[in-house]
Amino acid sequence: GAVVSQHPSRVICKSGTSVKIECRSLDFQATTMFWYRQFPKQSLMLMATSNEGSKATYEQGVEKDKFLINHASLTLSTLTVTSAHPEDSSFYICSAKMGGGNQPQHFGDGTRLSIL
Amino acid sequence: KQEVTQIPAALSVPEGENLVLNCSFTDSAIYNLQWFRQDPGKGLTSLLLIQSSQREQTSGRLNASLDKSSGRSTLYIAASQPGDSATYLCAVPTLTGANNLFFGTGTRLTVIP
């Protein structure tokens, strides 16, 4: 149980393109979803937290107009990288959890984004 | 703000050896601590989750311990195998807000056949 599906797994596109990444909880309702970014040989850094039906909370230094997050239902959150540039190339991973503090987060398989 | 550190950053061992990975965190007020495995270019696989009230958790050849008061956790891998080669991350959730995870810097493990 507790499967999180992330799609696509890899994207290669030209600079200036907008890219949408989907994160779905397949067998549970996710009250909260998180988006993380991981640069090569570094650990995961939280970008934003989203709760279903409300605006995402962004971490300091993350541009909300650049990284649009929509959490329209209890099983789906999307991250759109708008007008992507080479410096946005990274590994993006989502996670989802149901309930509060003590509940574990379940992770997607990540999306490798490469901007040419 | 919580800071999570893992030592060593990289470790190479011959197959069959037992090994210990270390994780330390600065704020001992945690709900739990989780160990993950990440293969190159892949997502995270949860290995073990220790609740703050527990001292250790075991799964197969893996044993994770937690000493909350000293801000430390260890992941013990017995009889290591080449398939154990990966990066191992520990993480703790924040106590406030949405309880997002703070991740350690990771230990890159290579088990040599």
Side-chain angles (χ1 to χ4, degrees), chain B residues 52-113:
Chain B
S52 61
S53 58
Q54 297 175 320
R55 298 283 294 185
E56 64 179 68
Q57 278 283 351
T58 298
S59 176
R61 294 183 293 109
L62 306 179
N63 176 278
S65 69
L66 175 63
D67 184 342
K68 211 174 72 158
S69 61
S70 67
R72 295 173 190 266
S73 175
T74 62
L75 179 66
Y76 175 82
I77 302 177
S80 58
Q81 302 171 358
D84 295 331
S85 298
T87 295
Y88 290 81
L89 297 163
C90 66
V92 293
T94 61
L95 282 186
T96 58
N99 313 119
N100 59 281
L101 291 175
F102 282 105
F103 281 87
T105 45
T107 294
R108 190 169 67 255
L109 173 66
T110 302
V111 180
I112 304 165

Side-chain angles (χ1 to χ4, degrees), chain A residues 21-75:
Chain A
I21 303 169
E22 293 189 348
C23 180
R24 293 180 184 271
S25 56
L26 298 185
D27 51 1
F28 66 100
Q29 292 189 325
T31 51
T32 308
M33 287 187 170
F34 303 90
W35 288 95
Y36 295 85
R37 180 167 55 186
Q38 185 179 35
F39 291 108
K41 300 193 177 179
Q42 295 187 25
S43 195
L44 280 75
M45 297 298 293
L46 180 69
M47 297 176 66
T49 303
S50 73
N51 293 293
E52 183 263 340
S54 60
K55 288 184 179 180
T57 302
Y58 290 81
E59 294 299 297
Q60 193 172 8
V62 178
E63 300 175 57
K64 62 180 181 181
D65 295 330
K66 174 77 170 177
F67 299 99
L68 301 178
I69 291 172
N70 184 286
H71 193 163
S73 75
L74 283 170
T75 59

Side-chain angles (χ1 to χ4, degrees), chain B residues 4-78:
Chain B
V4 184
T5 305
Q6 290 184 247
I7 296 173
L11 179 64
S12 289
V13 299
E15 182 177 2
E17 268 203 11
N18 303 325
L19 59 102
V20 176
L21 308 180
N22 298 291
C23 172
S24 61
F25 44 96
T26 55
D27 186 347
S28 62
I30 60 172
Y31 281 124
N32 55 56
L33 183 143
Q34 203 163 356
W35 282 93
F36 295 90
R37 168 188 172 134
Q38 185 177 31
D39 293 289
K42 302 292 186 182
L44 303 182
T45 300
S46 179
L47 298 174
L48 290 163
L49 184 150
I50 313 177
Q51 300 293 351
S52 61
S53 58
Q54 297 175 320
R55 298 283 294 185
E56 64 179 68
Q57 278 283 351
T58 298
S59 176
R61 294 183 293 109
L62 306 179
N63 176 278
S65 69
L66 175 63
D67 184 342
K68 211 174 72 158
S69 61
S70 67
R72 295 173 190 266
S73 175
T74 62
L75 179 66
Y76 175 82
I77 302 177

